[in-house]
Amino acid sequence: MDFTPTEAQAEARDLAARIFGDLATHERLKAAGTGSDPELWKALCTAGLVGAVTELGLLGLVLLLEEQGRTTAQVPYAATCVYGLLAVASHGTPEQRERLLPGIEDGSVVVGGALLTQGGVRAPARGELTGSVPVVPWLRDATHVLVADTERRLWLAPLGEGTGITPVELTAPWSAARLTLDRAPAEPLGAPDTAVHADVLATARTAFAGLQAGVCAGSLARAVAHTDTREQFGRPLATRQAVQLRAADAHMDTEAIRVTAYEAAWRRDAGLPYATHALTAAWWASEAGQRVVHTGQHLHGGTGADLDHPVHRHFLWGRQLDAYLGCGAEVLQELGELIAHGE
């Protein structure tokens, strides 16, 4: 295994870091409220950081999502790349790839995903979906949604005829909504078996684990900067052993999230089985992620209780990702069952 980024991956990561750093500022995030930032989304697409993912692979996407997580930038980057770009590129027909990929790459097609959420969607007639999904992140920004039916077949549905969207506010500002389908037109994605669903689901878990690694790194960086400058009884907080130990534990947790996400992504790019590795990354992101963002807020003391402080945004994202990935106990149970069956 070699997780060293290629030259192209490193350049894309550095470019993403500059764009997120310049545009996902605290002031702009406050102005965006619970919605996304269309100017930032346009900048990412114009820079080619969506289209490049097909060449950079899942490991490249994880590196880019880390940079988004550091700034908690409010754009549908993970959803569109996982449920749109990579899903269509890997499992779409040649006609679907030719029709959909250019729009996804330039940002005019935004795809949400109803795979990691609980819902009951049926396809009683081929090409039509009926049912509902309580929460779909970034659905308010989407033009299409990738839906798994009760048989775990994947369908790509344009938002419009037969689809209803009801805004839902989550812990994190992810432009989420409730999806209602009433004989909504849809096209199948990939072969009519569960292997496609399993691959897209594992890809999503790996990508969102990478996003959590960035959220945790950003939270910890803010905590370190705060404790380095905040003095108590004439000494910086960072010189106190209790603070150092909390920060060290948070650092190790963050590294565990990062390395397990890297391994799962690398294995997918290498064409190796990675379902258990994706679940391992999801477990670390869920279980350790919530510990890290709690630490980041705690080390800010009373400042961390300020809802307008930047570190509180990391706390909200970390807890939302914990819930979105399935919470640690649920993920661990699924991982155990997968290992027990020798998969």
Side-chain angles (χ1 to χ4, degrees):
M1 291 180 291
D2 184 2
F3 303 149
T4 304
T6 65
E7 183 178 352
Q9 288 171 338
E11 289 177 353
R13 177 196 61 198
D14 294 343
L15 177 58
R18 289 197 297 272
I19 293 175
F20 285 128
D22 289 343
L23 295 181
T25 62
H26 179 54
E27 293 72 24
R28 288 178 63 91
L29 290 170
K30 286 183 65 176
T34 61
S36 60
D37 186 337
E39 183 179 342
L40 174 55
W41 180 239
K42 181 179 179 180
L44 290 170
C45 296
T46 301
L49 290 176
V50 176
V53 171
T54 52
E55 298 296 329
L56 299 176
L58 183 54
L59 181 56
L61 176 59
V62 166
L63 293 170
L64 298 175
L65 290 175
E66 276 193 83
E67 300 306 322
Q68 179 186 2
R70 290 179 198 275
T71 58
T72 60
Q74 292 170 202
V75 286
Y77 196 29
T80 288
C81 287
V82 169
Y83 302 122
L85 191 78
L86 291 179
V88 172
S90 299
H91 304 292
T93 65
E95 187 277 331
Q96 287 175 324
R97 293 196 293 269
E98 182 179 358
R99 171 166 49 89
L100 294 168
L101 289 181
I104 296 173
E105 292 172 0
D106 67 24
S108 60
V109 174
V110 176
V111 183
L115 272 72
L116 281 171
T117 53
Q118 298 295 321
V121 175
R122 298 174 292 105
R126 183 167 180 81
E128 290 184 350
L129 301 178
T130 297
S132 65
V133 182
V135 178
V136 181
W138 307 112
L139 189 62
R140 279 181 268 164
D141 296 330
T143 59
H144 294 69
V145 61
L146 186 65
V147 182
D149 66 17
T150 52
E151 303 297 323
R152 295 195 174 186
R153 295 171 298 184
L154 296 188
W155 303 84
L156 190 63
L159 296 180
E161 181 186 353
T163 61
I165 296 175
T166 305
V168 173
E169 297 302 339
L170 304 180
T171 302
W174 284 4
S175 297
R178 174 185 176 87
L179 175 66
T180 303
L181 302 162
D182 182 11
R183 301 183 64 182
E187 56 184 312
L189 185 72
D193 56 47
T194 59
V196 176
H197 176 274
D199 178 61
V200 176
L201 181 59
T203 300
R205 284 170 164 156
T206 304
F208 280 95
L211 183 62
Q212 180 76 301
V215 170
C216 291
S219 175
L220 185 57
R222 291 188 183 278
V224 168
H226 175 77
T227 56
D228 275 345
T229 56
R230 177 72 171 176
E231 291 190 359
Q232 189 178 63
F233 304 114
R235 292 170 53 191
L237 288 173
T239 64
R240 303 190 178 277
Q241 189 178 51
V243 172
Q244 293 171 358
L245 291 174
R246 283 294 299 274
D249 286 343
H251 171 73
M252 294 305 296
D253 273 338
T254 302
E255 287 302 299
I257 299 169
R258 176 181 290 117
V259 74
T260 52
Y262 284 6
E263 182 181 13
W266 176 84
R267 290 182 66 88
R268 182 190 188 275
D269 292 342
L272 299 171
Y274 73 110
T276 56
H277 300 80
L279 278 166
T280 302
W283 180 82
W284 274 105
S286 177
E287 191 75 8
Q290 55 91 12
R291 288 199 299 264
V292 174
V293 295
H294 272 270
T295 294
Q297 185 153 331
H298 188 199
L299 290 181
H300 277 77
T303 305
D306 183 357
L307 301 185
D308 289 329
H309 194 281
V311 77
H312 187 68
R313 191 175 293 111
H314 290 270
F315 174 78
L316 296 178
W317 276 65
R319 292 313 308 259
Q320 187 63 59
L321 281 163
D322 169 30
Y324 186 60
L325 287 166
C327 298
E330 295 179 11
V331 175
L332 193 61
Q333 179 180 347
E334 186 177 347
L335 175 59
E337 291 172 352
L338 205 60
I339 293 172
H341 287 88
E343 299 181 23

